[in-house]
Amino acid sequence: MISPAKINLYLKINNIVRHKKEFSPVAYYHMINSFVFKTNQLYDTVYIEIPRASDEISCCFTNSIESNNNDLTEILEKDNIAYKAAVMLKNYVIYHKIGNFLEKKKLGAKINIEKKIPIAAGLGGGSSNAASVLLALNKMWDLRLDSNTLCRIGCNLGYDVPLFIRNEKTMVITGLGNIISSKHFGTKIFIVLVNPRIKLNTNIVYDTYDRMILVKDIRSFKSIKKIYQKYLLTSKSIKVSLKATNDLQKVAIKICPKINELIDFFYTMNGIITSKMSGSGSTCFGLFNTYEEMKTAAEKIFIQFPLYWIHMEELII
């Protein structure tokens, strides 16, 4: 099963709220606004085998030839979101006593994920894997759960899991990341993705943002919140989305200065439309109008940063 990456064209943080997930204690979460699109050529591949006489769930990883991930052995099975997705779905089925087949069939799965998407890179690889596991096991276990139920389960794993459960390729996500609205500009873009091979932990980036931005000047934050809610939510223009920024970018640069170096280098390219960081980083992207501009940019980046991970593709957003 194909498990695509996602890219945040912009990401605005509107607020922090106390919230309780269905299977988790009360915690603080960020209210966001982001335009997200999925990739066509950058994806992991999820393979699942259902054992005949076992209810054991296992999950392992392999590298694809193009992978940026040289340390997959560091991923502990029980800490991995794809493994957690399978276990959570199984527990949900047992708790709610879904179907009469439970007495006839053991809910086991052997999951293997071929990684091509960089890990901890702001591209949603882990959440995409979790969504693929939920979708695949829903069919393979013959659960017949609807997409809303799968999204609800997915939210307990991470609020960006539902966007990978949904069929839309391009969308605006709001709320905690769980409110998804289809959005399509119909604009062809040519994108170059670059990762400096430095992992950024999403929780650390958001926690640093809270300390640097929110605590420093909460009144300023509230005024910015009102501006962006009005500015972004009512906009129908691709130009506005291209100009809108990623609120986590400055924070991530403090942790990983190479992000700023990459973005500055993108802006030296001919034909560059915009360059930003995706998600919580550290992957950066540059958008171009033509294939030739994209290809030239990728070649220059390879010469300047030969050890960095680079990917390019054409998309319609």
Side-chain angles (χ1 to χ4, degrees):
M1 186 170 189
I2 297 303
S3 188
K6 61 86 180 167
I7 300 165
N8 301 85
L9 186 57
Y10 63 78
L11 195 160
K12 310 308 299 182
I13 299 175
N14 295 331
N15 205 350
I16 291 182
V17 296
R18 293 181 81 246
H19 179 73
K20 185 185 183 307
K21 292 183 179 180
E22 188 173 0
F23 306 116
S24 305
V26 174
Y28 286 93
Y29 296 94
H30 295 80
M31 302 284 285
I32 66 169
N33 182 304
S34 182
F35 180 84
V36 175
F37 54 96
K38 299 174 188 174
T39 53
N40 293 326
Q41 298 170 23
L42 176 60
Y43 53 83
D44 296 336
T45 306
V46 179
Y47 302 94
I48 301 179
E49 178 184 346
I50 306 300
R52 290 184 177 180
S54 172
D55 61 355
E56 181 182 353
I57 293 174
S58 63
C59 183
C60 63
F61 300 86
T62 56
N63 274 320
S64 73
I65 295 174
E66 302 173 51
S67 176
N68 178 48
N69 307 305
N70 298 318
D71 52 359
L72 292 180
T73 55
E74 293 181 3
I75 304 177
L76 299 176
E77 180 179 71
K78 292 184 179 180
D79 292 334
N80 176 259
I81 190 173
Y83 172 82
K84 290 179 179 179
V87 172
M88 185 170 288
L89 181 62
K90 178 179 178 177
N91 290 340
Y92 180 90
V93 170
I94 294 172
Y95 179 79
H96 291 281
K97 299 180 181 179
I98 296 173
N100 296 321
F101 63 88
L102 287 176
E103 296 178 359
K104 306 175 185 178
K105 185 188 298 184
K106 292 184 179 294
L107 301 180
K110 294 175 64 177
I111 304 166
N112 181 279
I113 301 175
E114 185 180 56
K115 292 296 293 180
K116 185 177 176 182
I117 304 170
I119 295 171
L123 298 174
S127 295
S128 182
N129 296 162
S132 294
V133 167
L134 291 175
L135 288 167
L137 290 181
N138 186 43
K139 291 183 179 180
M140 298 175 81
W141 286 345
D142 193 26
L143 302 180
R144 304 179 188 181
L145 299 175
D146 60 30
S147 61
N148 289 334
T149 301
L150 292 177
C151 284
R152 199 170 88 242
I153 296 170
C155 280
N156 287 278
L157 298 159
Y159 278 112
D160 55 350
V161 173
L163 74 89
F164 291 105
I165 292 174
R166 296 279 294 265
N167 290 325
E168 290 90 340
K169 283 282 189 178
T170 58
M171 65 207 81
V172 172
I173 58 174
T174 54
L176 299 174
N178 58 328
I179 301 174
I180 302 169
S181 305
S182 179
K183 183 74 174 179
H184 188 67
F185 293 114
T187 301
K188 182 184 289 187
I189 60 168
F190 297 86
I191 188 167
V192 179
L193 294 167
V194 186
N195 184 280
R197 298 187 186 274
I198 296 175
K199 296 181 177 66
L200 288 185
N201 182 285
T202 299
N203 291 333
I204 291 176
V205 173
Y206 272 99
D207 288 345
T208 306
Y209 174 86
D210 294 345
R211 291 196 302 272
M212 289 179 60
I213 307 298
L214 301 189
V215 177
K216 183 177 179 181
D217 190 351
I218 192 68
R219 288 177 300 176
S220 175
F221 171 76
K222 287 181 178 178
S223 65
I224 291 172
K225 167 192 165 184
K226 291 180 181 179
I227 292 170
Y228 279 114
Q229 280 181 326
K230 182 178 180 181
Y231 184 60
L232 293 173
L233 288 175
T234 61
S235 174
K236 296 182 180 180
S237 171
I238 182 65
K239 293 182 179 179
V240 172
S241 295
L242 290 171
K243 290 180 179 178
T245 57
N246 182 338
D247 282 350
L248 298 176
Q249 187 168 298
K250 289 184 179 179
V251 175
I253 287 171
K254 294 285 185 181
I255 303 171
C256 176
K258 290 185 178 181
I259 293 171
N260 194 51
E261 185 180 0
L262 270 173
I263 291 172
D264 285 346
F265 192 71
F266 264 120
Y267 277 112
T268 66
M269 308 287 185
N270 290 329
I272 185 70
I273 300 171
T274 189
S275 178
K276 304 171 191 175
M277 180 184 80
S278 178
S280 57
S282 59
T283 302
C284 302
F285 63 87
L287 298 184
F288 298 87
N289 284 310
T290 68
Y291 175 84
E292 289 74 20
E293 291 169 347
M294 174 185 68
K295 186 173 181 293
T296 300
E299 290 170 349
K300 288 182 177 180
I301 290 169
F302 178 74
I303 293 171
Q304 184 71 17
F305 306 103
L307 299 180
Y308 287 9
W309 173 88
I310 303 170
H311 172 82
M312 63 179 188
E313 68 174 89
E314 175 185 338
L315 291 164
I316 297 178
I317 63 173

